[in-house]
Amino acid sequence: MLGWFVALEGRAAAAQEQCVQCHQSVSPKIVSDWRHSVHSEVGTNCVSCHGAAHDSASNPEKAELATPETCRGCHPGRVEEFERGKHALAWDSYKAMPTTHWQPMTLREGLQGCAGCHKIGMKSDQEIRRLREAGSDYGAGSCDSCHTRHLFSKQEALSPHACRTCHMGMDHPQWEMYESSKHGVRHELKTTGALPEDAAAPTCQTCHMDEGDHAVMTGWGFLAVRLPMPEDEQWARDRATVLKGLGVLDPDGNTTNRLEVVKKAKLARLTEEAFQKQRDKMVAICSDCHTEGYARKELARGDDMVRISDRLLAQSIRTVVALYEDGLLHKPDNQAYAYPDLLAFHDAPSSIETRLWLMFLKHRMRMFQGSFHMNPDYALWYGWSEMVRDRNWIEERAEELRRRRKVDRKLGLDQ
């Protein structure tokens, strides 16, 4: 038995040496990254993750792709945590968007569109095979979105820069908010030596991955809507309007099939207990540097910014609904209800509807996310101020359409 094990180990070592010799000339940086990794130090080699079937330049397709299941063999706890968090659902949530399949294939499968970041999500073996057949190996691993190949560095994944690739830009500029917030500034000062090593300087991971917990989740979720409805009657009406715009409620206030999609992708907290669990967790994290009272007060201010953003967005949604009802704006044939679909994104059919989804996806996101990331410029100028301008533009455009109809009727051009 011992002889069999020694022989097996010897074959694995020989296969590994063959891998290194070949890739040293073909892709040397892969080899150097691996040699610098902890994997190399502990004996995790090419064969450990890719198998031994690929043994020459003629059969690269035989190299197995490392997936979360591969990582689970050594890191079961971290993979299980990841599966409970929202990052694991990124692929599902991307596919659930109503018009994703309308986009060009390059945007859907490559690194040029939403899929480039959403591929961090878990995928079935069938989906991984399909991606590979399409020539798009990237995204099979999930873990390698943050612990990039072939270093798989923990230190890299602990840096806020690791989050920057995805959490930036138009719809969720968390990186820009963090970097220019006092938290981000202190982190930069700490890394340059201007602040002492033990100075408080929170990173993204400090607040969202406490003690390395990979089950990343937030209280308000990506959409900043939740259940139960608030006690404030005006806010409850506004949130109901927003939920109708998201397609979660129909015009009569009844839940739709899209609610099941929101549940599955964990895009919102749907019970008070689920929200409070995340809120209490964040208060505890904030309290490492601040008093608990201060933390709760500032988080409550963020909640209030969600309320204010809902007021502005709901007003504009109702303006567009009225245009549908009056026949001044054609409701897209693919929309199930007489409400604009905020999740249609780029496929909004008119300038008014385009302005509405930008109001939702760009400016509302900046308003409430800027508040929770303690960045006043994003909360005010890039958020609230832009939403006010969006609302005014939509209302003025609606009035212009009404004036045109009156003129057309007088001239008999509306027949």
Side-chain angles (χ1 to χ4, degrees):
M1 184 70 176
L2 180 60
W4 174 85
F5 179 78
V6 171
L8 183 64
E9 191 175 51
R11 287 197 296 274
Q16 171 65 13
E17 184 60 29
Q18 182 181 357
C19 295
V20 170
Q21 286 180 357
C22 182
H23 282 276
Q24 187 66 61
S25 60
V26 176
S27 50
K29 288 300 182 182
I30 286 179
V31 176
S32 63
D33 273 3
W34 171 75
R35 281 179 168 156
H36 286 301
S37 71
V38 174
H39 281 169
S40 175
E41 295 176 8
V42 300
T44 300
N45 55 36
C46 309
V47 175
S48 303
C49 297
H50 299 293
H54 162 49
D55 56 8
S56 75
S58 65
N59 59 8
E61 74 283 351
K62 291 186 177 181
E64 297 174 14
L65 291 177
T67 69
E69 289 306 310
T70 310
C71 303
R72 194 191 301 272
C74 296
H75 307 283
R78 292 309 190 196
V79 174
E80 289 169 8
E81 289 173 356
F82 176 77
E83 288 175 327
R84 296 196 301 270
K86 64 178 182 178
H87 283 154
L89 297 162
W91 188 241
D92 286 337
S93 63
Y94 162 68
K95 293 189 301 177
M97 293 298 103
T99 61
T100 294
H101 59 288
W102 293 3
Q103 295 176 7
M105 187 63 74
T106 299
L107 293 176
R108 289 161 52 191
E109 302 290 5
L111 295 175
Q112 291 71 30
C114 300
C117 287
H118 278 263
K119 281 187 176 180
I120 191 177
M122 299 286 279
K123 290 164 285 293
S124 67
D125 291 341
Q126 181 181 2
E127 287 175 311
I128 291 173
R129 284 196 301 272
R130 186 179 60 77
L131 287 172
R132 186 163 204 184
E133 289 168 359
S136 180
D137 289 357
Y138 174 78
S142 297
C143 307
D144 61 355
S145 294
C146 302
H147 304 269
T148 55
R149 298 179 278 185
H150 278 81
L151 269 173
F152 294 104
S153 167
K154 176 181 177 181
Q155 198 61 34
E156 175 189 7
L158 280 171
S159 169
H161 292 79
C163 310
R164 182 179 185 176
T165 301
C166 295
H167 291 279
M168 55 79 65
M170 195 199 81
D171 58 338
H172 39 48
Q174 291 99 337
W175 165 260
E176 294 95 320
M177 295 172 184
Y178 164 77
E179 182 187 35
S180 53
S181 73
K182 190 55 66 178
H183 287 163
V185 169
R186 280 176 65 94
H187 178 263
E188 183 177 0
L189 291 172
K190 186 174 177 177
T191 58
T192 60
L195 291 179
E197 185 60 33
D198 59 350
T203 64
C204 314
Q205 294 83 348
T206 303
C207 298
H208 296 291
M209 297 183 70
D210 186 35
E211 298 183 354
D213 187 353
H214 285 49
V216 179
M217 195 66 64
T218 57
W220 276 104
F222 179 70
L223 300 174
V225 291
R226 71 183 188 92
L227 297 177
M229 288 294 198
E231 294 181 2
D232 182 308
E233 293 182 1
Q234 182 61 62
W235 191 6
R237 286 193 294 272
D238 292 337
R239 187 184 295 174
T241 298
V242 174
L243 289 169
K244 292 173 184 178
L246 291 169
V248 175
L249 298 179
D250 68 19
D252 296 323
N254 302 310
T255 58
T256 70
N257 291 335
R258 196 175 284 184
L259 178 61
E260 297 306 313
V261 175
V262 170
K263 285 181 180 179
K264 182 179 179 182
K266 297 183 181 179
L267 292 172
R269 309 290 79 78
L270 301 179
T271 66
E272 182 64 32
E273 292 74 20
F275 175 83
Q276 199 59 48
K277 177 182 178 181
Q278 297 302 325
R279 174 54 53 89
D280 291 343
K281 182 179 178 181
M282 189 56 66
V283 168
I285 292 168
C286 296
S287 297
D288 284 341
C289 300
H290 305 284
T291 65
E292 180 179 331
Y294 175 83
R296 291 191 181 279
K297 181 179 68 176
E298 291 304 317
L299 288 168
R301 290 182 191 274
D303 297 342
D304 204 40
M305 290 294 276
V306 176
R307 178 186 64 80
I308 296 169
S309 73
D310 284 351
R311 178 92 276 258
L312 292 167
L313 182 60
Q315 288 173 341
S316 296
I317 292 173
R318 291 173 190 136
T319 297
V320 175
V321 170
L323 291 175
Y324 287 159
E325 292 173 345
D326 293 342
L328 290 164
L329 200 62
H330 174 69
K331 183 179 77 67
D333 295 334
N334 64 300
Q335 285 181 203
Y337 306 109
Y339 267 72
D341 192 343
L342 297 174
L343 300 181
F345 299 160
H346 324 271
D347 302 301
S350 72
S351 60
I352 291 181
E353 290 151 300
T354 296
R355 189 67 171 254
L356 182 66
W357 81 258
L358 282 171
M359 183 184 191
F360 162 69
L361 193 65
K362 184 178 183 181
H363 302 139
R364 181 171 176 267
M365 292 293 184
R366 281 161 164 70
M367 183 172 169
F368 84 85
Q369 291 176 3
S371 301
F372 287 119
H373 284 87
M374 305 302 288
N375 191 306
D377 229 36
Y378 271 88
L380 174 61
W381 292 112
Y382 302 143
W384 177 81
S385 179
E386 291 286 357
M387 287 194 76
V388 170
R389 281 182 272 183
D390 291 332
R391 182 200 59 188
N392 293 347
W393 186 91
I394 290 171
E395 289 182 353
E396 289 170 6
R397 185 82 175 104
E399 285 304 311
E400 182 181 341
L401 290 176
R402 296 185 190 285
R403 286 195 299 270
R404 284 184 183 178
R405 169 173 280 186
K406 288 181 180 180
V407 171
D408 287 347
R409 283 178 174 171
K410 286 182 179 180
L411 298 175
L413 301 175
D414 63 335
Q415 301 301 318

